[in-house]
Amino acid sequence: MSASSQDNALRSGIAWRVLIYSVLIVTAVIYLAPLFVMLVTSLKSLEEIRMGNMMALPLQITFEPWLKAWGSACLGLDCNGISGYFWNSLKITVPAVAIGTLLGAFNGYVLTKWRFRGHQWVFGMMLFACFIPFQIVLLPMSQVLGWLGLANTTSGLVLVHVVYGLGFTTLFFRNFYEAFPDELIRASVMDGAGFFTIFGRILLPNSGPIIVVTVIWQFTNIWNDFLFGASFASGDTAPITVALNNLVNSSTGVKEYNVHMAAAITAALPTLLVYVVAGRYFVRGLMAGSVKG
Amino acid sequence: MQQNIARDKASTVSESRNDKLIGYLQQHLPKLVLAPSFAVILMFVYGFILWTVYLSFSASKMLPNYTWVGLEQWSRLWNTLTWQISLQNLFIFSVLYIGLCIVIGLSLAILLDQKIRLEGGLRTLYLYPMALSFIVTGTAWKWFLNPGLGLERTMHEWGFVDFKFDWLINSDMAIYTVVIAGVWQASGFIMAMFLAGLRGIDNEILKAAQIDGAPAWKIYTRIIIPQLGPVFLSAFVVLLHLAIKSFDLVIALTGGGPGNATSLPATFMYSYSFTRNQIGVGASSAVFMLMIIASIMVPYIYSEIKGGKK
Amino acid sequence: MSFLNIENVNKHYFDVEVLKSINIEINKGDFLVLVGPSGCGKSTLLNMIAGLDEISGGDISIDGQSMAGVHPSKRDIAMVFQSYALYPNMSVAKNISFGLEMRKVPKVERDKAVQKVAKMLQMEQLLDRKPSQLSGGQRQRVAMGRALVREPRVFLFDEPLSNLDAKLRVDMRTEIKQLHQRLGATIVYVTHDQIEAMTLATKIAVMNAGIVQQFGSPEEIYDNPVNTFVAGFMGSPSMNLIQAKVCKVEDKLCFEVATADQDRPLLLPIERDQQALVSYLNRNVTLGLRPETITDPGSANRSEGQIHEADLMVKVTEPTGADMFVVTQLGGTEVVARMRSRCGALAGQSCRFAFDVSRNLAFDGDTGDRIQ
Ligand SMILES: Nc1ncnc2c1ncn2[C@@H]1O[C@H](COP(=O)(O)OP(=O)(O)O)[C@@H](O)[C@H]1O
Ligand SMILES: [Mg+2]
């Protein structure tokens, strides 16, 4: 009898697990569906899209939409594809990430290892800057960029992203260096190392993980930015997100869904790649960005 | 080596005046290094906030105009139908978005916490949308929900002839498509937060509860979930923050339409400031957004910092 | 003239005073141990000698030269930290030579110095490893090597052994002592472990609550503690501090101590500090008895001490192998005596105790200060 009840328990246990796995897998399929649809659509011809099922695999794979999206799709009157905007995004993202991360590292270093009276207030004010809705700075910023001659330039967007990324990069490094032993700093002071030597020789070589987290965070945010791009850049200087939106919403001509999807995947590719390669650090950044302290 | 130290000692004396300067510099160097960043934050964040606040009391229309007009722009803002719709939409969107993300995120986290073999892979799948730009998400879902070519048609082809899904172009329902796309994007992240919270719970408590004979679901409802309070709070704050800032997603998915059915404060501010030449109204809407966020973030940050000190 | 002179040093963090007018002087070659409970300000004082913490008042001088305003790296001091503070990204050799590199010592000399130190500490085979690849004891050695290579005027140690397991701690203690004797270095050493203090020091400063309670040689501190704090802190097991009354029996001053038997108090003749104790006649004092001054009659030291014997009830016995600690009740508290392991004492039975009354100490019942 006890054997059979055990058997029952076992069976219901297995049933449970089957159920759990089914729910998880179905959910995963739902999460994947939009990406899957984008991908198959981008490989179909327009006729096939109109005729067939969006979930169906392409009958005949064509890379035409990809080539067109990259090189010859029309955004307004300009028919050179999104490639130029892709490079714009790179030109904005790479320097903004580099500068923002470096400044954040220095700020975190000072705020933890060279404390001064009122350091909490400085940090608090920088922290709050992470959470403002950027709408509150749009109008003054566009004016200031105009005065600086940086309106509609990628350099202007670099400046904007550095400034409004500072709060987060400082937060990341501050929290990391907070846990970095003070005794190491004291030891290097006794060894005769100065402010920059300690930073360069002791702190930085031990900051690998937080640098990766910060770079990924900054890269993802800046690459994916739309608000600043749409507000402060137009025409040739726009980043890829703005270009993608323009492409998709351009009212002229036939809607080339396959080209749109190819462009969307292209725009998503760099951040997706980062996520696939370094997902662990990506998640850590998200967590660190949401839980302060 | 002995000699070297001796030389060192000799040089200390002769360099003592230099030392003073170096000492002074060393004392202030850290602050000098921090100063530019802090100045930039002061100016570009706090200065700009004041600037925008001033604009909201000015006569600005197409261009900034610094004539003081008191509450005129504010009253214009509150008398604008689109703004009222935006706030209403924000309310609907926030409640559903936050609620669904938390329910789905927590459920997935609990399911994934059952010693699932593919956990790593599944986690990656649930979370990837967070790496995408909202514009990409919006574009994808716009296509996916397209009544003529997307889901509706697919269901028809699969034999569900009566299936109807036209929310994207239905003024009453369009805001829910924004919710769907938003939840799709953020729920994986919330799942990751809850999973981290679950993993942080002391294993011995769970063992004790098991020995006490509590069934699995009771262990969750009575012991585990109550301990996740801080995660709920973090998730809530993060999601509310995302909801209020939501701009890209709406622009890409519905463009605020049909009509102004999916307008949110963020899109309202943008269109009034940059396309409708109502800078004053745009500024006051931005200030109002800041006020909502500040009323949540300031106490939250404060408690986090205080809690962190403990 | 003293080599390291700490004069009237104060320290406060904002309005919290953590050190109050510290005065300590030691000579070249001294091994000074700062000992006291956790949080009493030892590390703070050490950091101030190093120049890592600012002094709020007073002055510290080394070799007659005031250290005010002198940068830590210019004081010709080396420090070994509690956590060892090894640079995780550098090899052992780099860790040791980093300080020399910062002082612009040429590479060839640096390498030679590293080799010499590595040989001294027997860790030549470790030079290429990273700190994470070392055991606790090896890290400790590297931390010492980093200090030794500089050949400084003063070595500072902040609880260098507290992260090691018991056995290693004893070994390293011996090694540090040998190093001190070999190099004749001047050392300031912080610990909360009074055994370390006693074994290593030539001078001890016992600290509590930011004040130096007593400064002197280990023997002075142990035999002549100035108050109940020092008496109770130094020694293991710690000194028995019990309530007693000074009284006169047949013209002789005695301590009257309550025993388990109400009607028969223990009377211990007063053999030292009599003059001072006269004024305490018929008053309560705190009597300090070191466990080793209470023995079984057979092992009492009759040639040097003055032995007074009494029968007392045994509460508990705690054999340690070499000795047996025998607990009895005196003056309302438990008192530990140190007897031979085969003295035959049994819990719950009466046993004969021998008190060496020449080593009894008396403290003021209210202030806790020594009466002498
Ligand atoms: N930076 C600081 N700010 C305020 N108080 C401090 C600071 N550093 C140490 N203290 C206080 O000074 C006292 C002495 O600390 P410390 O010298 O580390 O003690 P010890 O080394 O004897 O354990 C402690 O009570 C500690 O709380
Ligand atoms: Mg200490």
PDB file of all heavy atoms in Angstrom, chain B residues 1-5 7-9 12-13 15 19 26-27, chain C residues 71 74 76 100 103-106 109 113 149-151 153:
ATOM      1  N   MET B   1      70.382  49.583  -1.299  1.00  0.00           N
ATOM      2  CA  MET B   1      69.045  49.981  -0.861  1.00  0.00           C
ATOM      3  C   MET B   1      69.142  50.913   0.341  1.00  0.00           C
ATOM      4  O   MET B   1      68.456  51.927   0.395  1.00  0.00           O
ATOM      5  CB  MET B   1      68.271  48.732  -0.478  1.00  0.00           C
ATOM      6  CG  MET B   1      66.790  48.966  -0.504  1.00  0.00           C
ATOM      7  SD  MET B   1      65.939  47.436  -0.241  1.00  0.00           S
ATOM      8  CE  MET B   1      66.365  47.089   1.433  1.00  0.00           C
ATOM      9  N   GLN B   2      70.032  50.543   1.261  1.00  0.00           N
ATOM     10  CA  GLN B   2      70.216  51.387   2.436  1.00  0.00           C
ATOM     11  C   GLN B   2      70.551  52.807   1.988  1.00  0.00           C
ATOM     12  O   GLN B   2      70.002  53.779   2.486  1.00  0.00           O
ATOM     13  CB  GLN B   2      71.357  50.812   3.281  1.00  0.00           C
ATOM     14  CG  GLN B   2      71.320  51.279   4.708  1.00  0.00           C
ATOM     15  CD  GLN B   2      70.091  50.746   5.423  1.00  0.00           C
ATOM     16  OE1 GLN B   2      69.893  49.554   5.551  1.00  0.00           O
ATOM     17  NE2 GLN B   2      69.240  51.652   5.871  1.00  0.00           N
ATOM     18  N   GLN B   3      71.446  52.878   0.995  1.00  0.00           N
ATOM     19  CA  GLN B   3      71.878  54.178   0.473  1.00  0.00           C
ATOM     20  C   GLN B   3      70.701  54.966  -0.056  1.00  0.00           C
ATOM     21  O   GLN B   3      70.560  56.142   0.202  1.00  0.00           O
ATOM     22  CB  GLN B   3      72.833  53.940  -0.696  1.00  0.00           C
ATOM     23  CG  GLN B   3      74.277  53.936  -0.283  1.00  0.00           C
ATOM     24  CD  GLN B   3      75.152  53.602  -1.473  1.00  0.00           C
ATOM     25  OE1 GLN B   3      74.654  53.256  -2.534  1.00  0.00           O
ATOM     26  NE2 GLN B   3      76.441  53.721  -1.297  1.00  0.00           N
ATOM     27  N   ASN B   4      69.881  54.242  -0.780  1.00  0.00           N
ATOM     28  CA  ASN B   4      68.750  54.911  -1.387  1.00  0.00           C
ATOM     29  C   ASN B   4      67.860  55.574  -0.377  1.00  0.00           C
ATOM     30  O   ASN B   4      67.384  56.675  -0.574  1.00  0.00           O
ATOM     31  CB  ASN B   4      67.922  53.893  -2.146  1.00  0.00           C
ATOM     32  CG  ASN B   4      68.007  54.161  -3.612  1.00  0.00           C
ATOM     33  OD1 ASN B   4      67.498  55.164  -4.052  1.00  0.00           O
ATOM     34  ND2 ASN B   4      68.724  53.312  -4.309  1.00  0.00           N
ATOM     35  N   ILE B   5      67.625  54.848   0.700  1.00  0.00           N
ATOM     36  CA  ILE B   5      66.750  55.409   1.716  1.00  0.00           C
ATOM     37  C   ILE B   5      67.415  56.621   2.340  1.00  0.00           C
ATOM     38  O   ILE B   5      66.784  57.638   2.610  1.00  0.00           O
ATOM     39  CB  ILE B   5      66.387  54.332   2.750  1.00  0.00           C
ATOM     40  CG1 ILE B   5      65.349  53.424   2.103  1.00  0.00           C
ATOM     41  CG2 ILE B   5      65.841  54.953   4.004  1.00  0.00           C
ATOM     42  CD1 ILE B   5      65.113  52.171   2.827  1.00  0.00           C
ATOM     43  N   ARG B   7      69.362  58.610   0.808  1.00  0.00           N
ATOM     44  CA  ARG B   7      69.183  59.699  -0.138  1.00  0.00           C
ATOM     45  C   ARG B   7      67.780  60.278  -0.021  1.00  0.00           C
ATOM     46  O   ARG B   7      67.584  61.476  -0.003  1.00  0.00           O
ATOM     47  CB  ARG B   7      69.401  59.155  -1.557  1.00  0.00           C
ATOM     48  CG  ARG B   7      69.531  60.237  -2.605  1.00  0.00           C
ATOM     49  CD  ARG B   7      70.152  59.676  -3.861  1.00  0.00           C
ATOM     50  NE  ARG B   7      69.240  58.835  -4.578  1.00  0.00           N
ATOM     51  CZ  ARG B   7      69.590  57.743  -5.242  1.00  0.00           C
ATOM     52  NH1 ARG B   7      70.834  57.331  -5.252  1.00  0.00           N
ATOM     53  NH2 ARG B   7      68.708  57.038  -5.888  1.00  0.00           N
ATOM     54  N   ASP B   8      66.853  59.363   0.144  1.00  0.00           N
ATOM     55  CA  ASP B   8      65.464  59.774   0.321  1.00  0.00           C
ATOM     56  C   ASP B   8      65.328  60.740   1.485  1.00  0.00           C
ATOM     57  O   ASP B   8      64.643  61.739   1.399  1.00  0.00           O
ATOM     58  CB  ASP B   8      64.634  58.530   0.617  1.00  0.00           C
ATOM     59  CG  ASP B   8      63.476  58.442  -0.336  1.00  0.00           C
ATOM     60  OD1 ASP B   8      63.699  58.788  -1.501  1.00  0.00           O
ATOM     61  OD2 ASP B   8      62.404  58.032   0.099  1.00  0.00           O
ATOM     62  N   LYS B   9      65.995  60.389   2.559  1.00  0.00           N
ATOM     63  CA  LYS B   9      65.883  61.219   3.760  1.00  0.00           C
ATOM     64  C   LYS B   9      66.457  62.596   3.505  1.00  0.00           C
ATOM     65  O   LYS B   9      65.885  63.609   3.914  1.00  0.00           O
ATOM     66  CB  LYS B   9      66.628  60.558   4.920  1.00  0.00           C
ATOM     67  CG  LYS B   9      65.747  59.624   5.696  1.00  0.00           C
ATOM     68  CD  LYS B   9      66.581  58.938   6.755  1.00  0.00           C
ATOM     69  CE  LYS B   9      66.006  57.576   7.039  1.00  0.00           C
ATOM     70  NZ  LYS B   9      66.976  56.704   7.690  1.00  0.00           N
ATOM     71  N   THR B  12      64.118  64.674   1.512  1.00  0.00           N
ATOM     72  CA  THR B  12      62.914  65.145   2.214  1.00  0.00           C
ATOM     73  C   THR B  12      63.139  66.544   2.763  1.00  0.00           C
ATOM     74  O   THR B  12      62.246  67.379   2.735  1.00  0.00           O
ATOM     75  CB  THR B  12      62.552  64.264   3.427  1.00  0.00           C
ATOM     76  OG1 THR B  12      63.496  63.249   3.547  1.00  0.00           O
ATOM     77  CG2 THR B  12      61.170  63.727   3.302  1.00  0.00           C
ATOM     78  N   VAL B  13      64.319  66.754   3.296  1.00  0.00           N
ATOM     79  CA  VAL B  13      64.574  68.041   3.920  1.00  0.00           C
ATOM     80  C   VAL B  13      64.595  69.154   2.869  1.00  0.00           C
ATOM     81  O   VAL B  13      63.899  70.165   2.987  1.00  0.00           O
ATOM     82  CB  VAL B  13      65.919  68.008   4.687  1.00  0.00           C
ATOM     83  CG1 VAL B  13      66.169  69.347   5.344  1.00  0.00           C
ATOM     84  CG2 VAL B  13      65.884  66.901   5.728  1.00  0.00           C
ATOM     85  N   GLU B  15      63.353  69.230   0.011  1.00  0.00           N
ATOM     86  CA  GLU B  15      62.126  69.387  -0.764  1.00  0.00           C
ATOM     87  C   GLU B  15      60.956  69.897   0.060  1.00  0.00           C
ATOM     88  O   GLU B  15      59.833  69.926  -0.414  1.00  0.00           O
ATOM     89  CB  GLU B  15      61.721  68.040  -1.366  1.00  0.00           C
ATOM     90  CG  GLU B  15      62.366  67.764  -2.700  1.00  0.00           C
ATOM     91  CD  GLU B  15      62.026  66.363  -3.167  1.00  0.00           C
ATOM     92  OE1 GLU B  15      61.189  65.722  -2.529  1.00  0.00           O
ATOM     93  OE2 GLU B  15      62.620  65.931  -4.151  1.00  0.00           O
ATOM     94  N   ASP B  19      57.160  70.160  -0.906  1.00  0.00           N
ATOM     95  CA  ASP B  19      56.213  69.265  -0.265  1.00  0.00           C
ATOM     96  C   ASP B  19      54.927  69.967   0.103  1.00  0.00           C
ATOM     97  O   ASP B  19      53.848  69.395   0.032  1.00  0.00           O
ATOM     98  CB  ASP B  19      56.823  68.693   1.021  1.00  0.00           C
ATOM     99  CG  ASP B  19      57.577  67.413   0.723  1.00  0.00           C
ATOM    100  OD1 ASP B  19      57.704  67.101  -0.474  1.00  0.00           O
ATOM    101  OD2 ASP B  19      58.025  66.760   1.664  1.00  0.00           O
ATOM    102  N   GLN B  26      47.654  67.695  -3.159  1.00  0.00           N
ATOM    103  CA  GLN B  26      47.142  66.362  -2.852  1.00  0.00           C
ATOM    104  C   GLN B  26      45.891  66.441  -2.012  1.00  0.00           C
ATOM    105  O   GLN B  26      44.988  65.628  -2.135  1.00  0.00           O
ATOM    106  CB  GLN B  26      48.210  65.561  -2.117  1.00  0.00           C
ATOM    107  CG  GLN B  26      49.228  65.009  -3.091  1.00  0.00           C
ATOM    108  CD  GLN B  26      49.833  63.741  -2.586  1.00  0.00           C
ATOM    109  OE1 GLN B  26      50.048  63.588  -1.392  1.00  0.00           O
ATOM    110  NE2 GLN B  26      50.141  62.824  -3.469  1.00  0.00           N
ATOM    111  N   GLN B  27      45.854  67.454  -1.176  1.00  0.00           N
ATOM    112  CA  GLN B  27      44.686  67.600  -0.334  1.00  0.00           C
ATOM    113  C   GLN B  27      43.460  67.951  -1.173  1.00  0.00           C
ATOM    114  O   GLN B  27      42.359  67.521  -0.873  1.00  0.00           O
ATOM    115  CB  GLN B  27      44.960  68.698   0.687  1.00  0.00           C
ATOM    116  CG  GLN B  27      44.213  68.507   1.970  1.00  0.00           C
ATOM    117  CD  GLN B  27      44.537  69.623   2.941  1.00  0.00           C
ATOM    118  OE1 GLN B  27      45.563  70.292   2.823  1.00  0.00           O
ATOM    119  NE2 GLN B  27      43.657  69.836   3.889  1.00  0.00           N
TER     120      GLN B  27
ATOM    121  N   HIS C  71      54.101  63.607   5.031  1.00  0.00           N
ATOM    122  CA  HIS C  71      53.292  62.603   4.336  1.00  0.00           C
ATOM    123  C   HIS C  71      53.681  61.190   4.788  1.00  0.00           C
ATOM    124  O   HIS C  71      54.848  60.938   5.065  1.00  0.00           O
ATOM    125  CB  HIS C  71      53.501  62.759   2.821  1.00  0.00           C
ATOM    126  CG  HIS C  71      52.563  61.929   2.004  1.00  0.00           C
ATOM    127  ND1 HIS C  71      52.893  60.693   1.522  1.00  0.00           N
ATOM    128  CD2 HIS C  71      51.292  62.160   1.613  1.00  0.00           C
ATOM    129  CE1 HIS C  71      51.867  60.190   0.853  1.00  0.00           C
ATOM    130  NE2 HIS C  71      50.871  61.072   0.895  1.00  0.00           N
ATOM    131  N   LYS C  74      56.723  59.661   3.540  1.00  0.00           N
ATOM    132  CA  LYS C  74      57.990  60.346   3.837  1.00  0.00           C
ATOM    133  C   LYS C  74      58.425  60.146   5.278  1.00  0.00           C
ATOM    134  O   LYS C  74      59.361  60.778   5.743  1.00  0.00           O
ATOM    135  CB  LYS C  74      57.830  61.852   3.546  1.00  0.00           C
ATOM    136  CG  LYS C  74      57.541  62.175   2.087  1.00  0.00           C
ATOM    137  CD  LYS C  74      58.840  62.345   1.320  1.00  0.00           C
ATOM    138  CE  LYS C  74      58.658  62.184  -0.174  1.00  0.00           C
ATOM    139  NZ  LYS C  74      58.033  63.334  -0.817  1.00  0.00           N
ATOM    140  N   ASP C  76      59.343  57.340   6.619  1.00  0.00           N
ATOM    141  CA  ASP C  76      60.258  56.209   6.742  1.00  0.00           C
ATOM    142  C   ASP C  76      59.703  55.180   7.728  1.00  0.00           C
ATOM    143  O   ASP C  76      60.346  54.779   8.682  1.00  0.00           O
ATOM    144  CB  ASP C  76      61.650  56.689   7.176  1.00  0.00           C
ATOM    145  CG  ASP C  76      62.697  55.637   6.861  1.00  0.00           C
ATOM    146  OD1 ASP C  76      62.336  54.624   6.231  1.00  0.00           O
ATOM    147  OD2 ASP C  76      63.857  55.820   7.254  1.00  0.00           O
ATOM    148  N   LEU C 100      59.224  50.412  -3.238  1.00  0.00           N
ATOM    149  CA  LEU C 100      60.539  50.856  -3.718  1.00  0.00           C
ATOM    150  C   LEU C 100      60.395  51.527  -5.075  1.00  0.00           C
ATOM    151  O   LEU C 100      61.042  52.549  -5.360  1.00  0.00           O
ATOM    152  CB  LEU C 100      61.496  49.669  -3.830  1.00  0.00           C
ATOM    153  CG  LEU C 100      61.809  48.941  -2.525  1.00  0.00           C
ATOM    154  CD1 LEU C 100      62.746  47.777  -2.785  1.00  0.00           C
ATOM    155  CD2 LEU C 100      62.418  49.889  -1.508  1.00  0.00           C
ATOM    156  N   ARG C 103      59.387  54.890  -4.795  1.00  0.00           N
ATOM    157  CA  ARG C 103      60.489  55.741  -4.330  1.00  0.00           C
ATOM    158  C   ARG C 103      61.591  55.836  -5.365  1.00  0.00           C
ATOM    159  O   ARG C 103      62.687  56.272  -5.067  1.00  0.00           O
ATOM    160  CB  ARG C 103      61.050  55.180  -3.032  1.00  0.00           C
ATOM    161  CG  ARG C 103      60.135  55.446  -1.880  1.00  0.00           C
ATOM    162  CD  ARG C 103      60.628  54.834  -0.595  1.00  0.00           C
ATOM    163  NE  ARG C 103      59.757  55.271   0.475  1.00  0.00           N
ATOM    164  CZ  ARG C 103      58.484  54.888   0.591  1.00  0.00           C
ATOM    165  NH1 ARG C 103      57.996  54.043  -0.270  1.00  0.00           N
ATOM    166  NH2 ARG C 103      57.733  55.342   1.556  1.00  0.00           N
ATOM    167  N   LYS C 104      61.282  55.345  -6.569  1.00  0.00           N
ATOM    168  CA  LYS C 104      62.197  55.473  -7.688  1.00  0.00           C
ATOM    169  C   LYS C 104      63.530  54.759  -7.464  1.00  0.00           C
ATOM    170  O   LYS C 104      64.575  55.214  -7.918  1.00  0.00           O
ATOM    171  CB  LYS C 104      62.451  56.949  -8.016  1.00  0.00           C
ATOM    172  CG  LYS C 104      61.161  57.740  -8.151  1.00  0.00           C
ATOM    173  CD  LYS C 104      61.272  58.851  -9.171  1.00  0.00           C
ATOM    174  CE  LYS C 104      59.919  59.405  -9.534  1.00  0.00           C
ATOM    175  NZ  LYS C 104      59.126  59.891  -8.401  1.00  0.00           N
ATOM    176  N   VAL C 105      63.475  53.637  -6.754  1.00  0.00           N
ATOM    177  CA  VAL C 105      64.670  52.811  -6.626  1.00  0.00           C
ATOM    178  C   VAL C 105      64.844  52.059  -7.943  1.00  0.00           C
ATOM    179  O   VAL C 105      63.876  51.504  -8.465  1.00  0.00           O
ATOM    180  CB  VAL C 105      64.496  51.824  -5.452  1.00  0.00           C
ATOM    181  CG1 VAL C 105      65.675  50.876  -5.360  1.00  0.00           C
ATOM    182  CG2 VAL C 105      64.298  52.576  -4.153  1.00  0.00           C
ATOM    183  N   PRO C 106      66.053  52.034  -8.507  1.00  0.00           N
ATOM    184  CA  PRO C 106      66.250  51.356  -9.796  1.00  0.00           C
ATOM    185  C   PRO C 106      65.893  49.868  -9.724  1.00  0.00           C
ATOM    186  O   PRO C 106      66.016  49.245  -8.675  1.00  0.00           O
ATOM    187  CB  PRO C 106      67.745  51.530 -10.075  1.00  0.00           C
ATOM    188  CG  PRO C 106      68.201  52.575  -9.150  1.00  0.00           C
ATOM    189  CD  PRO C 106      67.273  52.660  -8.008  1.00  0.00           C
ATOM    190  N   GLU C 109      68.279  47.190  -8.156  1.00  0.00           N
ATOM    191  CA  GLU C 109      68.320  47.193  -6.692  1.00  0.00           C
ATOM    192  C   GLU C 109      67.049  46.627  -6.100  1.00  0.00           C
ATOM    193  O   GLU C 109      67.064  45.934  -5.083  1.00  0.00           O
ATOM    194  CB  GLU C 109      68.526  48.628  -6.179  1.00  0.00           C
ATOM    195  CG  GLU C 109      69.954  49.109  -6.332  1.00  0.00           C
ATOM    196  CD  GLU C 109      70.101  50.545  -5.844  1.00  0.00           C
ATOM    197  OE1 GLU C 109      69.616  50.826  -4.734  1.00  0.00           O
ATOM    198  OE2 GLU C 109      70.674  51.358  -6.586  1.00  0.00           O
ATOM    199  N   ALA C 113      66.733  43.544  -3.533  1.00  0.00           N
ATOM    200  CA  ALA C 113      66.085  43.695  -2.231  1.00  0.00           C
ATOM    201  C   ALA C 113      64.979  42.663  -2.052  1.00  0.00           C
ATOM    202  O   ALA C 113      64.830  42.062  -0.981  1.00  0.00           O
ATOM    203  CB  ALA C 113      65.522  45.104  -2.094  1.00  0.00           C
ATOM    204  N   VAL C 149      61.241  45.062   3.319  1.00  0.00           N
ATOM    205  CA  VAL C 149      62.079  45.453   2.192  1.00  0.00           C
ATOM    206  C   VAL C 149      62.435  46.937   2.264  1.00  0.00           C
ATOM    207  O   VAL C 149      63.450  47.371   1.734  1.00  0.00           O
ATOM    208  CB  VAL C 149      61.361  45.110   0.866  1.00  0.00           C
ATOM    209  CG1 VAL C 149      60.284  46.136   0.548  1.00  0.00           C
ATOM    210  CG2 VAL C 149      62.355  45.006  -0.278  1.00  0.00           C
ATOM    211  N   ARG C 150      61.619  47.691   2.925  1.00  0.00           N
ATOM    212  CA  ARG C 150      61.863  49.132   2.979  1.00  0.00           C
ATOM    213  C   ARG C 150      62.914  49.496   4.019  1.00  0.00           C
ATOM    214  O   ARG C 150      63.386  50.627   4.050  1.00  0.00           O
ATOM    215  CB  ARG C 150      60.549  49.846   3.308  1.00  0.00           C
ATOM    216  CG  ARG C 150      59.435  49.573   2.328  1.00  0.00           C
ATOM    217  CD  ARG C 150      59.027  50.842   1.645  1.00  0.00           C
ATOM    218  NE  ARG C 150      58.941  51.925   2.610  1.00  0.00           N
ATOM    219  CZ  ARG C 150      57.838  52.303   3.190  1.00  0.00           C
ATOM    220  NH1 ARG C 150      56.721  51.693   2.896  1.00  0.00           N
ATOM    221  NH2 ARG C 150      57.835  53.291   4.054  1.00  0.00           N
ATOM    222  N   GLU C 151      63.215  48.571   4.925  1.00  0.00           N
ATOM    223  CA  GLU C 151      64.146  48.838   6.024  1.00  0.00           C
ATOM    224  C   GLU C 151      63.826  50.165   6.691  1.00  0.00           C
ATOM    225  O   GLU C 151      64.670  51.067   6.764  1.00  0.00           O
ATOM    226  CB  GLU C 151      65.594  48.801   5.522  1.00  0.00           C
ATOM    227  CG  GLU C 151      65.911  47.458   4.873  1.00  0.00           C
ATOM    228  CD  GLU C 151      67.380  47.295   4.559  1.00  0.00           C
ATOM    229  OE1 GLU C 151      68.148  48.255   4.779  1.00  0.00           O
ATOM    230  OE2 GLU C 151      67.759  46.213   4.104  1.00  0.00           O
ATOM    231  N   ARG C 153      62.509  53.022   9.647  1.00  0.00           N
ATOM    232  CA  ARG C 153      62.899  53.333  11.020  1.00  0.00           C
ATOM    233  C   ARG C 153      61.972  52.673  12.021  1.00  0.00           C
ATOM    234  O   ARG C 153      62.367  52.299  13.108  1.00  0.00           O
ATOM    235  CB  ARG C 153      62.833  54.851  11.250  1.00  0.00           C
ATOM    236  CG  ARG C 153      63.875  55.630  10.512  1.00  0.00           C
ATOM    237  CD  ARG C 153      63.885  57.047  11.000  1.00  0.00           C
ATOM    238  NE  ARG C 153      62.698  57.765  10.539  1.00  0.00           N
ATOM    239  CZ  ARG C 153      62.516  59.068  10.701  1.00  0.00           C
ATOM    240  NH1 ARG C 153      63.420  59.787  11.327  1.00  0.00           N
ATOM    241  NH2 ARG C 153      61.433  59.660  10.250  1.00  0.00           N
TER     242      ARG C 153
END
